[in-house]
PDB file of all heavy atoms in Angstrom:
ATOM      1  N   ARG M 200       1.354 -10.058  -3.070  1.00  0.00           N
ATOM      2  CA  ARG M 200       0.234 -10.931  -2.562  1.00  0.00           C
ATOM      3  C   ARG M 200      -0.779 -10.165  -1.764  1.00  0.00           C
ATOM      4  O   ARG M 200      -1.967 -10.464  -1.860  1.00  0.00           O
ATOM      5  CB  ARG M 200       0.875 -12.093  -1.720  1.00  0.00           C
ATOM      6  CG  ARG M 200      -0.206 -13.071  -1.215  1.00  0.00           C
ATOM      7  CD  ARG M 200       0.314 -14.016  -0.198  1.00  0.00           C
ATOM      8  NE  ARG M 200       0.488 -13.239   1.030  1.00  0.00           N
ATOM      9  CZ  ARG M 200       1.543 -13.372   1.872  1.00  0.00           C
ATOM     10  NH1 ARG M 200       2.505 -14.136   1.585  1.00  0.00           N
ATOM     11  NH2 ARG M 200       1.595 -12.703   2.993  1.00  0.00           N
ATOM     12  N   GLU M 201      -0.344  -9.135  -1.030  1.00  0.00           N
ATOM     13  CA  GLU M 201      -1.242  -8.403  -0.239  1.00  0.00           C
ATOM     14  C   GLU M 201      -2.025  -7.349  -1.002  1.00  0.00           C
ATOM     15  O   GLU M 201      -2.817  -6.581  -0.424  1.00  0.00           O
ATOM     16  CB  GLU M 201      -0.519  -7.753   0.929  1.00  0.00           C
ATOM     17  CG  GLU M 201      -0.029  -8.767   1.966  1.00  0.00           C
ATOM     18  CD  GLU M 201       0.908  -8.165   2.980  1.00  0.00           C
ATOM     19  OE1 GLU M 201       1.279  -7.028   2.897  1.00  0.00           O
ATOM     20  OE2 GLU M 201       1.143  -8.959   3.937  1.00  0.00           O
ATOM     21  N   GLY M 202      -1.841  -7.297  -2.292  1.00  0.00           N
ATOM     22  CA  GLY M 202      -2.686  -6.499  -3.157  1.00  0.00           C
ATOM     23  C   GLY M 202      -2.132  -5.125  -3.606  1.00  0.00           C
ATOM     24  O   GLY M 202      -2.855  -4.345  -4.146  1.00  0.00           O
ATOM     25  N   SER M 203      -0.837  -4.951  -3.441  1.00  0.00           N
ATOM     26  CA  SER M 203      -0.275  -3.646  -3.914  1.00  0.00           C
ATOM     27  C   SER M 203      -0.398  -3.579  -5.386  1.00  0.00           C
ATOM     28  O   SER M 203      -0.280  -4.552  -6.147  1.00  0.00           O
ATOM     29  CB  SER M 203       1.173  -3.554  -3.502  1.00  0.00           C
ATOM     30  OG  SER M 203       1.285  -3.398  -2.082  1.00  0.00           O
ATOM     31  N   GLY M 204      -0.547  -2.367  -5.873  1.00  0.00           N
ATOM     32  CA  GLY M 204      -0.816  -2.154  -7.324  1.00  0.00           C
ATOM     33  C   GLY M 204       0.498  -1.884  -8.061  1.00  0.00           C
ATOM     34  O   GLY M 204       1.596  -1.930  -7.506  1.00  0.00           O
ATOM     35  N   GLU M 205       0.340  -1.573  -9.320  1.00  0.00           N
ATOM     36  CA  GLU M 205       1.479  -1.345 -10.238  1.00  0.00           C
ATOM     37  C   GLU M 205       2.395  -0.248  -9.787  1.00  0.00           C
ATOM     38  O   GLU M 205       3.609  -0.438  -9.845  1.00  0.00           O
ATOM     39  CB  GLU M 205       0.837  -1.075 -11.646  1.00  0.00           C
ATOM     40  CG  GLU M 205       1.883  -0.894 -12.730  1.00  0.00           C
ATOM     41  CD  GLU M 205       2.137   0.616 -13.017  1.00  0.00           C
ATOM     42  OE1 GLU M 205       1.218   1.467 -12.629  1.00  0.00           O
ATOM     43  OE2 GLU M 205       3.138   0.951 -13.599  1.00  0.00           O
ATOM     44  N   ARG M 206       1.867   0.845  -9.289  1.00  0.00           N
ATOM     45  CA  ARG M 206       2.764   1.935  -8.922  1.00  0.00           C
ATOM     46  C   ARG M 206       3.643   1.574  -7.674  1.00  0.00           C
ATOM     47  O   ARG M 206       4.816   1.859  -7.645  1.00  0.00           O
ATOM     48  CB  ARG M 206       1.918   3.190  -8.587  1.00  0.00           C
ATOM     49  CG  ARG M 206       1.421   3.826  -9.838  1.00  0.00           C
ATOM     50  CD  ARG M 206       0.617   5.126  -9.545  1.00  0.00           C
ATOM     51  NE  ARG M 206      -0.728   4.884 -10.022  1.00  0.00           N
ATOM     52  CZ  ARG M 206      -1.788   5.445  -9.592  1.00  0.00           C
ATOM     53  NH1 ARG M 206      -1.783   6.328  -8.587  1.00  0.00           N
ATOM     54  NH2 ARG M 206      -2.981   5.169 -10.127  1.00  0.00           N
ATOM     55  N   VAL M 207       3.057   0.969  -6.708  1.00  0.00           N
ATOM     56  CA  VAL M 207       3.820   0.528  -5.554  1.00  0.00           C
ATOM     57  C   VAL M 207       4.883  -0.462  -5.945  1.00  0.00           C
ATOM     58  O   VAL M 207       6.048  -0.344  -5.522  1.00  0.00           O
ATOM     59  CB  VAL M 207       2.911   0.002  -4.436  1.00  0.00           C
ATOM     60  CG1 VAL M 207       3.727  -0.622  -3.282  1.00  0.00           C
ATOM     61  CG2 VAL M 207       2.021   1.093  -3.898  1.00  0.00           C
ATOM     62  N   ILE M 208       4.501  -1.402  -6.714  1.00  0.00           N
ATOM     63  CA  ILE M 208       5.460  -2.433  -7.193  1.00  0.00           C
ATOM     64  C   ILE M 208       6.577  -1.803  -8.019  1.00  0.00           C
ATOM     65  O   ILE M 208       7.752  -2.112  -7.811  1.00  0.00           O
ATOM     66  CB  ILE M 208       4.734  -3.531  -7.989  1.00  0.00           C
ATOM     67  CG1 ILE M 208       3.783  -4.321  -7.050  1.00  0.00           C
ATOM     68  CG2 ILE M 208       5.766  -4.552  -8.574  1.00  0.00           C
ATOM     69  CD1 ILE M 208       2.781  -5.202  -7.854  1.00  0.00           C
ATOM     70  N   ALA M 209       6.211  -0.858  -8.847  1.00  0.00           N
ATOM     71  CA  ALA M 209       7.252  -0.169  -9.699  1.00  0.00           C
ATOM     72  C   ALA M 209       8.227   0.566  -8.786  1.00  0.00           C
ATOM     73  O   ALA M 209       9.445   0.456  -9.083  1.00  0.00           O
ATOM     74  CB  ALA M 209       6.565   0.763 -10.638  1.00  0.00           C
ATOM     75  N   ARG M 210       7.810   1.191  -7.755  1.00  0.00           N
ATOM     76  CA  ARG M 210       8.729   1.897  -6.844  1.00  0.00           C
ATOM     77  C   ARG M 210       9.656   0.872  -6.143  1.00  0.00           C
ATOM     78  O   ARG M 210      10.866   1.166  -6.011  1.00  0.00           O
ATOM     79  CB  ARG M 210       7.972   2.679  -5.783  1.00  0.00           C
ATOM     80  CG  ARG M 210       7.447   4.029  -6.302  1.00  0.00           C
ATOM     81  CD  ARG M 210       6.964   4.845  -5.148  1.00  0.00           C
ATOM     82  NE  ARG M 210       5.915   4.091  -4.433  1.00  0.00           N
ATOM     83  CZ  ARG M 210       4.809   4.572  -3.964  1.00  0.00           C
ATOM     84  NH1 ARG M 210       4.553   5.826  -3.997  1.00  0.00           N
ATOM     85  NH2 ARG M 210       3.920   3.828  -3.339  1.00  0.00           N
ATOM     86  N   LEU M 211       9.081  -0.205  -5.691  1.00  0.00           N
ATOM     87  CA  LEU M 211       9.882  -1.215  -5.024  1.00  0.00           C
ATOM     88  C   LEU M 211      10.909  -1.815  -5.948  1.00  0.00           C
ATOM     89  O   LEU M 211      12.132  -1.943  -5.557  1.00  0.00           O
ATOM     90  CB  LEU M 211       8.982  -2.327  -4.447  1.00  0.00           C
ATOM     91  CG  LEU M 211       8.083  -1.990  -3.214  1.00  0.00           C
ATOM     92  CD1 LEU M 211       7.109  -3.129  -2.996  1.00  0.00           C
ATOM     93  CD2 LEU M 211       8.962  -1.719  -2.014  1.00  0.00           C
ATOM     94  N   ILE M 212      10.557  -2.165  -7.148  1.00  0.00           N
ATOM     95  CA  ILE M 212      11.410  -2.788  -8.094  1.00  0.00           C
ATOM     96  C   ILE M 212      12.534  -1.779  -8.461  1.00  0.00           C
ATOM     97  O   ILE M 212      13.801  -2.203  -8.510  1.00  0.00           O
ATOM     98  CB  ILE M 212      10.713  -3.264  -9.354  1.00  0.00           C
ATOM     99  CG1 ILE M 212       9.689  -4.356  -8.916  1.00  0.00           C
ATOM    100  CG2 ILE M 212      11.717  -3.831 -10.344  1.00  0.00           C
ATOM    101  CD1 ILE M 212      10.203  -5.594  -8.222  1.00  0.00           C
TER     102      ILE M 212
END
Side-chain angles (χ1 to χ4, degrees):
R200 183 190 73 225
E201 291 173 350
S203 291
E205 180 260 344
R206 284 183 241 155
V207 170
I208 297 168
R210 281 190 304 220
L211 288 170
I212 299 302

